[in-house]
Amino acid sequence: MIDRRSLISGGAAAAVAVSTAGKAMAAAAARAPQGFLWGSAGAAYQIEGGNFASDLWILEHMKPSIFATPSGDADDSYNRIDEDIALAASFGFNAHRLSIEWSRIEPEQGQISYAALAYYRRVLEQLHKHGMAPVVTFIHTTVPRWFAANGGFMTADGIAPFASYCQLVTQHMGDLITASATFNEPNINALLSWEPTMRNLGPQLEMMRKGVAAQLGNPKWASPLLSDFHIQQPIMIEAHSRAYDAVKTASKGAFPVGVTLALNHDAPPPNGDMTGVLLKRSQVLTPWISAPGDFVGVQNYSRSIVGPDANIPETGVPMTQMGYPYAPEALEKVIRMVAAEARRPIYVTENGIGTEDDAQRVAFIKVAVQGVMNCLADGLDVRGYLHWSLLDNWEWTSGYRPKFGLVAVDRQTFVRTPKPSAYYLGQIAKAGRVV
Ligand code: BGC
């Protein structure tokens, strides 16, 4: 096999030819290093079921609603988490990403549920028992009702309660955490503001927010999901920074703390004008990598063509169930962009596809993971690949229609049925490379 050093010697023309072929071979054969995290991800609200004390529970039950179906029992994972963990381990994964539902830990402001803290501690213990490293997210979209009632992250009053919650969780289970994210995709509202369809949805979201506020007789009521990123994002960045310090202190720096970011591969329109790409990046990436953080969690699902002030919808290309382009090759491009901009270690904390066709998921994984291997072959510091998602679950406003899971879940019996893609990703995890 041609090794990378042998490419340095030799005549110039030959070196270029060999270099291209050699690089391709090296990339194809690239393996993940020892300790690389392989696994899948999930979020409490999307799988646990019955999270009545969360802001989203109120939103789902508003009329009219932008949610296709309420979350209800979700996957009943709160009661079946041991089975879920055992399943993930059986595929050969060595890591798992999960979130903690703040509204279970602190259902009313200042009222701590020690039972819920003990529950999540037990979940992390189960992961370790099965040889899987826990990657913990403190907020994955949802917040307690009382927090939304106080104005959420639309007011600086939200900063201290969030930092205290992160500190509390770290004190109770920090010894079991491998890596953590303060927020999941706190840049999502900024990212979606570039989507022309979401711009039309903007007034509808504000109408919903006002509807809840009126129904509850509380004009301050603010759910992060519905809030204007121009006001909310700087406050969330401050909240992240304070939580970062709190977790670092409580854990004595034992594990890395970062955020996970929703990032499309953004390309300019055919005229090459980068105005929109750079402006979008300055909103969705730069503010977050300028804040404290030990890594960047990359979450990629697709690509966009970005005009000067909005994405330009693509037509005539294969789409996923979510209505955006099928683009497994986007992950590699996003990792390279983030590595160049952030100069921090990267974990792929989400990547996946909504599809009923599991063979398409297998094909997607193959290309996406090869992209990660290509980055590793080029010396980029990528430390894990966590696929979204372990289970088919509640996909926010789309309800239960999109299927992102490696495992199917019966909506009435909750019986779990692994799909071929689960075993395929497991084989990759065991080999440490694309198979
Ligand atoms: C979110 C997940 C979601 C996934 C698929 C990400 O934006 O973090 O909660 O289910 O994308 O749409």
Side-chain angles (χ1 to χ4, degrees), residues 46 140 184-185 299 301 322 350 388 395-396 404:
Q46 295 178 268
H140 194 120
N184 177 71
E185 298 189 346
Q299 313 207 147
Y301 289 89
M322 298 297 281
E350 285 185 29
W388 185 272
E395 181 54 40
W396 309 112
F404 278 91

Side-chain angles (χ1 to χ4, degrees), residues 146-323:
W146 61 261
F147 185 78
N150 290 350
F153 290 111
M154 290 297 274
T155 154
D157 293 347
I159 295 170
F162 173 62
S164 305
Y165 151 69
C166 294
Q167 182 182 36
L168 178 75
V169 170
T170 307
Q171 284 162 346
H172 280 261
M173 59 199 89
D175 55 318
L176 300 174
I177 295 176
T178 299
S180 74
T182 53
F183 290 119
N184 177 71
E185 298 189 346
N187 66 340
I188 188 77
N189 295 9
L191 186 91
L192 292 179
S193 74
W194 283 79
E195 286 294 338
T197 46
M198 283 307 287
R199 288 188 177 172
N200 301 336
L201 205 60
Q204 227 181 315
L205 296 182
E206 181 56 13
M207 194 185 75
M208 271 199 83
R209 197 199 66 73
K210 284 199 175 129
V212 182
Q215 188 182 303
L216 302 177
N218 175 5
K220 273 200 315 194
W221 203 91
S223 180
L225 191 68
L226 302 184
S227 298
D228 180 352
F229 86 91
H230 294 98
I231 302 170
Q232 180 170 257
Q233 182 152 281
I235 297 173
M236 285 183 94
I237 289 172
E238 186 55 28
H240 160 78
S241 305
R242 292 271 292 280
Y244 177 91
D245 289 343
V247 173
K248 284 295 200 189
T249 306
S251 65
K252 299 196 177 60
F255 55 83
V257 184
V259 285
T260 73
L261 299 176
L263 297 165
N264 272 10
H265 167 57
D266 290 328
N271 67 7
D273 178 5
M274 289 290 284
T275 312
V277 171
L278 297 177
L279 178 60
K280 188 176 176 188
R281 193 177 298 168
S282 76
Q283 294 174 351
V284 304
L285 179 69
T286 317
W288 289 102
I289 58 174
S290 309
D294 304 322
F295 68 91
V296 181
V298 165
Q299 313 207 147
N300 169 258
Y301 289 89
S302 189
R303 63 164 185 250
S304 309
I305 295 173
V306 189
D309 64 359
N311 294 344
I312 301 168
E314 290 184 58
T315 49
V317 297
M319 297 284 180
T320 75
Q321 265 187 318
M322 298 297 281

Side-chain angles (χ1 to χ4, degrees), residues 298-365:
V298 165
Q299 313 207 147
N300 169 258
Y301 289 89
S302 189
R303 63 164 185 250
S304 309
I305 295 173
V306 189
D309 64 359
N311 294 344
I312 301 168
E314 290 184 58
T315 49
V317 297
M319 297 284 180
T320 75
Q321 265 187 318
M322 298 297 281
Y324 44 64
Y326 172 84
E329 72 290 344
L331 178 62
E332 175 176 353
K333 295 175 180 162
V334 169
I335 294 173
R336 290 183 189 279
M337 184 275 289
V338 172
E341 296 278 324
R343 306 198 174 280
R344 287 180 188 168
I346 289 170
Y347 291 84
V348 177
T349 40
E350 285 185 29
N351 172 248
I353 173 174
T355 180
E356 290 282 356
D357 175 3
D358 194 57
Q360 192 184 29
R361 191 180 336 276
V362 168
F364 182 97
I365 290 173

